[in-house]
Amino acid sequence: MAEMTEFNTEKVKVFSEKISKIKEELAKDVVGQKEIIDGVITAIIAGGNVLLEGVPGVGKTRLVRSLGKVLSLPFSRIQFTPDLMPSDVTGANIVEKDENGRLETKFRPGPIFANLVLADEINRATPKTQSAMLEVMQEHKVTVGNETYKLDEPFFVLATENPIEQDGTYPLPEAQMDRFVFKLIVDYPTNEELVGIVKMTQKTMEETAEAVVGGEDILEMRALASEVPICDEVLYYAVNMVSNTHPSAAECAPSAKKYLKYGASPRAAQGLVTCAKVRALMQGRYNVSYEDIDALAYPILRHRIKINYTAVNDKLTVDDVIGLIIKETKKGL
Amino acid sequence: MNTNFLKFKRRASGIRIAKATLAGAAAGLLLGGIFLLLSRLAIIGPVPIISLPIGVGVFLAVGAAVYFALRASDKSLAKKLDDEFALHERVQTMIEHPDADTDMLRLQREDTESALSKIDVRSLKARRLWIYIVALVLGICMIAAAFIVPNKRGMPVDEDLPFALSDMQRAGLNELISHVENSEMEDEYKADIADELRALLLDLEKVNRMSGMRAELAESMAYILDITYESSTSAELLNALWNTSDVYLRYLAKTLDTSSWRAPDWGDYAEKLTEYIAVLLDEGSEDAEKPVSPDEKTKKTHLIWVLEESARKMDSALKASDVPEDDELYAVLTRLASANEASFKGYSTLAKNMQSLSYDECADALQTSIDLISEDMYTAISQNRNNALVGEYAMTKLSTLFLVPLPEFERPDFVKNGEDIDDGKGGGSSEEEDENGPSDGGIGEGATFGSKDLVLDPLTGNYVEYGTLIDQYHALMLAKLENGNYTDEQKDMIKKYFALLYSGIDKEGK
């Protein structure tokens, strides 16, 4: 027993060290944005996709590119535009002459075939192209024609959105939004952070972060995090929180009834618990707490629920409503 | 395993026991105290001691109820520890996985135990303990209050009820006034008593509370008592005779004592005076000094000596008493003494021939002189007695009409000196008294009468059998209680008093 305990202690120690190294390396290319970095790392270890929303120039793309370097994962970037076709994302069968000159059909994989995919300005793509991402993000496989191609693990999609330019954009459908475990809001940097950014980029615009972990490490960390226990009280708390977002439910939070059009799907509950385990381990704990659930409620729920006109009228944002739901869920403890 | 958690569990259990004990004690003291208070205030029937088992029972019941109500599962204790010490749900997670069959679970357990070991078990406080302490203090105060308040159990409730002179009482008073005025009391005394009764009647018309009525009655009865003492001097005079220690005067005093009379008629009195003469002639009393071998001359000489000595002693005894010389009985006694003496000192026609009289002739002469004043003696004695009886009757009537206690009245009795008049040595009843019945000691002093013994009926002024009188009073009392405004305590007391009177009657009708 002592041996096993030591072994797992070692594993946990390694886990913590790797997390620290990842953060250190990312800090070389990305100034500030600690919460975004933590969120992204949490999502990666949990095996989920992340939607980053922020104004241009705040470092969304740079973050993902650095991440790809740090994690030593094959990285690809897809710049979504209105004319982008699904086959531009997934790949297509093409007819080629072989060495004997005979014509044959060959599958040329699209940029989606990577471990880490940056889907830049995903809301600019047409719904048809967006839906091509659905299967990939959920099942980690691509079907072209009659063939299905599995993607290598770990597979991770980091999408970005520009909240300003709404002209010529196609809001992501609910089904696709649900496939992102987190939606992280990248805020405009503070003055200090901006100074740091300017100083850094004066030297070079290139990412300088180096690889510290590999795909296998990520999978091991994911496996370790999944072992973290969660007590029934906390589990029920997480589930109640998601249930409370449904205004049509018999027992929902009063704020949900008042301010929401619709609530979060069961994937929210799954993502909440999975990511809470990762967060607990990252915090040096061996169990999930209410604090983990509360902290992750915002990135988990904000893209899965929709506020109504009453909330707009009362000048409430999605995050404000989530805050109210958290309070009301706590009262039920 | 779970060593540190078990420490907190024991601590929580101790807190629970403490709270249960405090709650039980508070409830027991509070309820027991309330019960005790109500019992001591005579608001409820059961005796105060019953508050003890009630208090103990409540203590046990409430204590047990609180103990079980506060019972907490391991889960709830774990939650409490996580919340109070910011353990981030460590303890709850550990409790849910008692087996800890994976490495991560074992790590989690060790981490939790480590976190718990850093917390002092005494940090787990008893929440809201102050409520229990306050309740206990209230319970103690209630018990203290219950003991501080006066115990009213068994005490008659003293309520100053309203009072209004009833027609019956008014008629009774007027009847009493008429009785006094028509009685055989001496005029000056009965006028005083009648005037006092008229004034009382007027005062009672104005009084509207029971306390006022009682005060007026007490004042009037005290006045009547003074008149009674003043008007009935016989006991004082007879005491004076008794204190001379002269056997003849003592016998005279006994003879004149009306308290032993049952029938106030001349025959009985005359018989007693005859006995006195016999004593004087050395024929009645065994204590009289007799000559050893008396011849006629010696006997005559001795008789003269006895009479002279008695006269002399009586004179000084009467003068030494507080009775004024113009008192009728005083005057008659003085005449008796001088008449006796005069008979044998040559101051009367008979005395001239004293030397020539035989002893028997002397005895006849003595009889004659006593006969001459005996009627006056009887008149004086009777008057005295009538004065006392009217006074006593008036007070008894007032007591009966208004149901107030009689004043402490001690009929002057010459046995007060503690000597028995029968044996000349001390007080107590003589054989003669026992034959006639025990002497009463005055109004309010319960002598035990036989149901056939005759006593004065103050309502009519006649002598009736004691049993009949008691029955009349009992009937009157029951009627009054039925129609009167009395508390249960007062009714109970009155009924018990009559029960005692009945129990004093010798059922054999002695």
Side-chain angles (χ1 to χ4, degrees):
Chain A
M1 190 185 297
E3 199 179 306
M4 281 192 276
T5 302
E6 280 175 18
F7 175 68
N8 263 307
T9 307
E10 189 60 33
K11 272 191 176 177
V12 171
K13 199 176 165 187
V14 166
F15 179 98
S16 302
E17 283 171 359
K18 284 177 183 172
I19 295 291
S20 300
K21 281 181 187 171
I22 292 171
K23 288 184 183 179
E24 271 176 37
E25 288 302 315
L26 285 176
K28 291 177 182 176
D29 291 336
V30 179
V31 178
Q33 308 290 2
K34 286 194 180 356
E35 281 182 22
I36 303 299
I37 290 171
D38 283 344
V40 168
I41 294 171
T42 303
I44 286 175
I45 296 171
N49 308 303
V50 176
L51 177 62
L52 290 172
E53 184 181 277
V55 295
V58 292
K60 299 185 295 295
T61 308
R62 190 177 178 87
L63 168 63
V64 179
R65 286 160 72 91
S66 292
L67 197 60
K69 275 194 175 179
V70 170
L71 300 180
S72 313
L73 294 172
F75 169 78
S76 70
R77 178 169 179 238
I78 307 172
Q79 181 63 53
F80 283 77
T81 54
D83 59 345
L84 195 71
M85 301 300 287
S87 57
D88 295 333
V89 173
T90 59
N93 288 323
I94 58 168
V95 176
E96 276 185 348
K97 268 189 185 172
D98 64 6
E99 56 207 19
N100 297 322
R102 278 184 292 194
L103 291 173
E104 60 178 4
T105 309
K106 221 175 175 182
F107 174 70
R108 185 163 284 175
I112 201 74
F113 283 86
N115 289 99
L116 186 62
V117 174
L118 171 60
D120 224 344
E121 293 186 283
I122 193 170
N123 57 329
R124 291 186 71 196
T126 60
K128 191 174 175 183
T129 309
Q130 287 172 0
S131 65
M133 293 290 290
L134 276 174
E135 186 189 7
V136 177
M137 286 170 66
Q138 182 61 33
E139 295 173 33
H140 296 187
K141 56 185 183 200
V142 170
T143 305
V144 175
N146 293 331
E147 295 290 325
T148 301
Y149 302 92
K150 203 157 170 19
L151 300 171
D152 295 332
E153 293 291 343
F155 178 74
F156 181 63
V157 173
L158 250 170
T160 64
E161 265 190 341
N162 181 354
I164 299 175
E165 287 174 343
Q166 297 296 318
D167 291 339
T169 63
Y170 301 90
L172 285 170
E174 204 180 298
Q176 194 166 11
M177 288 292 267
D178 202 29
R179 276 151 173 82
F180 291 102
V181 72
F182 279 171
K183 178 178 177 180
L184 299 172
I185 309 295
V186 186
D187 288 326
Y188 198 79
T190 61
N191 279 357
E192 288 81 17
E193 287 170 352
L194 196 52
V195 164
I197 291 169
V198 169
K199 278 186 181 175
M200 180 173 34
T201 51
Q202 289 300 305
K203 293 175 188 172
T204 175
M205 287 297 289
E206 294 293 321
E207 292 88 22
T208 58
E210 288 176 6
V212 291
V213 295
E216 287 299 318
D217 296 319
I218 297 295
L219 291 173
E220 280 176 14
M221 289 164 80
R222 190 178 293 175
L224 186 66
S226 69
E227 290 180 30
V228 174
I230 177 170
C231 68
D232 287 346
E233 290 289 322
V234 179
L235 181 63
Y236 278 109
Y237 177 68
V239 168
N240 285 340
M241 190 172 292
V242 173
S243 301
N244 279 346
T245 61
H246 289 268
S248 55
E251 291 179 8
C252 74
S255 301
K257 209 178 254 311
K258 190 176 177 185
Y259 296 123
L260 295 183
K261 265 189 190 171
Y262 55 81
S265 72
R267 284 201 188 93
Q270 290 170 320
L272 199 47
V273 172
T274 307
C275 294
K277 290 185 176 187
V278 175
R279 186 178 186 273
L281 209 52
M282 281 171 68
Q283 301 259 325
R285 282 182 280 107
Y286 303 107
N287 61 272
V288 178
S289 74
Y290 293 117
E291 185 199 328
D292 298 324
I293 305 297
D294 291 344
L296 295 172
Y298 293 92
I300 290 279
L301 293 175
R302 62 167 61 102
H303 56 291
R304 291 185 164 100
I305 61 177
K306 191 159 178 68
I307 56 173
N308 56 21
Y309 289 116
T310 309
V312 173
N313 218 24
D314 290 352
K315 295 184 175 50
L316 293 176
T317 63
V318 172
D319 280 5
D320 293 334
V321 176
I322 291 170
L324 291 172
I325 291 172
I326 290 173
K327 277 185 193 167
E328 285 156 12
T329 308
K330 268 191 170 22
K331 279 183 190 172
L333 284 177
Chain B
M1 300 295 278
N2 295 354
T3 313
N4 291 299
F5 179 71
L6 286 174
K7 274 198 281 185
F8 281 94
K9 202 172 167 182
R10 278 194 290 272
R11 167 91 176 160
S13 182
I15 290 170
R16 187 156 57 105
I17 290 171
K19 281 185 177 177
T21 305
L22 283 172
L29 285 170
L30 204 61
L31 212 65
I34 288 170
F35 211 91
L36 183 64
L37 184 70
L38 294 176
S39 184
R40 281 171 68 90
L41 291 175
I43 294 172
I44 55 175
V47 291
I49 194 68
I50 206 162
S51 62
L52 181 62
I54 286 174
V56 170
V58 168
F59 164 71
L60 293 172
V62 171
V66 169
Y67 182 80
F68 285 108
L70 293 178
R71 190 177 47 184
S73 60
D74 285 352
K75 214 171 176 180
S76 56
L77 175 60
K79 183 169 169 49
K80 185 173 178 171
L81 291 173
D82 283 333
D83 291 342
E84 277 197 29
F85 303 114
L87 294 174
H88 296 286
E89 289 64 62
R90 283 181 170 87
V91 188
Q92 288 176 83
T93 309
M94 180 184 76
I95 292 299
E96 272 190 24
H97 301 92
D99 298 328
D101 51 1
T102 67
D103 295 337
M104 184 61 76
L105 289 174
R106 288 188 203 101
L107 258 177
Q108 198 276 329
R109 180 185 296 276
E110 284 174 15
D111 175 57
T112 306
E113 285 287 316
S114 171
L116 284 174
S117 69
K118 292 171 189 160
I119 303 168
D120 184 357
V121 72
R122 286 170 296 181
S123 305
L124 186 64
K125 302 277 183 224
R127 268 189 273 177
R128 292 186 285 271
L129 191 65
W130 66 271
I131 294 174
Y132 297 88
I133 293 171
V134 166
L136 183 67
V137 169
L138 283 174
I140 292 170
C141 290
M142 178 55 71
I143 288 287
F147 279 109
I148 287 169
V149 295
N151 190 359
K152 288 191 177 178
R153 287 192 75 83
M155 285 172 58
V157 178
D158 185 19
E159 293 178 50
D160 193 9
L161 299 167
F163 170 80
L165 191 66
S166 68
D167 291 339
M168 187 199 75
Q169 287 166 333
R170 193 178 293 107
L173 264 175
N174 283 318
E175 194 183 301
L176 177 60
I177 294 167
S178 171
H179 179 91
V180 169
E181 285 175 334
N182 296 325
S183 71
E184 299 198 6
M185 195 178 204
E186 284 181 69
D187 289 342
E188 62 173 298
Y189 299 123
K190 69 179 172 186
D192 287 342
I193 291 178
D195 289 342
E196 177 60 28
L197 290 172
R198 283 193 198 90
L200 175 66
L201 181 59
L202 289 173
D203 290 339
L204 288 177
E205 295 284 4
K206 298 171 199 165
V207 161
N208 57 11
R209 302 305 290 190
M210 290 291 281
S211 57
M213 178 272 285
R214 290 192 198 105
E216 291 295 339
L217 260 295
E219 195 182 325
S220 291
M221 287 166 94
Y223 180 78
I224 294 170
L225 183 63
D226 286 342
I227 300 288
T228 306
Y229 278 138
E230 193 184 321
S231 65
S232 52
T233 57
S234 61
E236 208 167 338
L237 288 169
L238 297 183
N239 263 328
L241 296 182
W242 184 265
N243 289 338
T244 62
S245 304
D246 184 278
V247 65
Y248 301 100
L249 291 178
R250 282 193 166 188
Y251 202 90
L252 178 62
K254 183 197 162 193
T255 303
L256 298 177
D257 175 29
T258 57
S259 65
S260 65
W261 293 8
R262 289 293 170 262
D265 54 33
W266 169 246
D268 190 37
Y269 174 74
E271 185 185 324
K272 286 189 182 300
L273 274 181
T274 304
E275 288 171 6
Y276 169 62
I277 295 166
V279 166
L280 284 177
L281 294 173
D282 293 337
E283 289 173 11
S285 171
E286 290 177 2
D287 294 325
E289 215 178 291
K290 303 184 182 87
V292 177
S293 302
D295 57 12
E296 270 220 13
K297 188 177 177 183
T298 309
K299 280 167 69 174
K300 193 168 76 174
T301 306
H302 182 256
L303 177 62
I304 292 168
W305 175 80
V306 164
L307 291 175
E308 281 179 353
E309 280 295 298
S310 295
R312 185 178 58 77
K313 287 176 184 174
M314 185 189 288
D315 188 50
S316 30
L318 292 178
K319 282 192 168 76
S321 75
D322 290 331
V323 180
E325 287 185 17
D326 60 355
D327 181 77
E328 198 172 328
L329 183 58
Y330 187 111
V332 172
L333 284 171
T334 306
R335 280 180 56 208
L336 176 66
S338 58
N340 288 345
E341 191 184 8
S343 297
F344 295 91
K345 283 287 261 191
Y347 297 120
S348 72
T349 52
L350 291 170
K352 285 179 183 174
N353 298 319
M354 184 178 67
Q355 296 303 323
S356 60
L357 290 177
S358 67
Y359 177 78
D360 289 338
E361 285 167 342
C362 288
D364 290 341
L366 179 63
Q367 177 73 58
T368 304
S369 69
I370 288 176
D371 284 345
L372 284 173
I373 61 172
S374 63
E375 188 143 349
D376 292 342
M377 178 74 73
Y378 173 71
T379 304
I381 289 285
S382 295
Q383 183 63 68
N384 227 278
R385 183 167 160 278
N386 287 338
N387 290 345
L389 286 176
V390 171
E392 287 177 22
Y393 172 74
M395 286 189 287
T396 308
K397 182 79 175 182
L398 289 175
S399 172
T400 310
L401 269 177
F402 296 97
L403 286 180
V404 292
L406 283 165
E408 277 189 33
F409 173 71
E410 197 174 329
R411 178 179 294 170
D413 195 334
F414 67 90
V415 297
K416 262 180 67 176
N417 295 326
E419 294 176 353
D420 190 339
I421 56 171
D422 261 345
D423 56 17
K425 288 175 190 160
S429 59
S430 64
E431 284 178 13
E432 196 173 337
E433 281 183 323
D434 283 341
E435 205 177 299
N436 292 332
S439 63
D440 54 337
I443 302 171
E445 291 180 18
T448 304
F449 288 100
S451 63
K452 297 292 179 187
D453 287 336
L454 296 176
V455 292
L456 174 71
D457 178 0
L459 295 179
T460 62
N462 299 322
Y463 277 92
V464 298
E465 286 183 3
Y466 180 68
T468 307
L469 185 66
I470 281 296
D471 287 343
Q472 287 172 2
Y473 270 101
H474 192 227
L476 182 69
M477 176 274 293
L478 289 175
K480 291 274 186 199
L481 290 185
E482 185 72 28
N483 301 315
N485 191 5
Y486 302 104
T487 65
D488 289 341
E489 289 277 355
Q490 287 175 326
K491 287 180 184 175
D492 204 37
M493 197 167 61
I494 293 165
K495 286 176 184 171
K496 276 181 186 168
Y497 170 69
F498 273 86
L500 279 172
L501 290 182
Y502 272 108
S503 69
I505 294 173
D506 184 349
K507 293 212 174 11
E508 290 177 6
K510 185 178 161 185

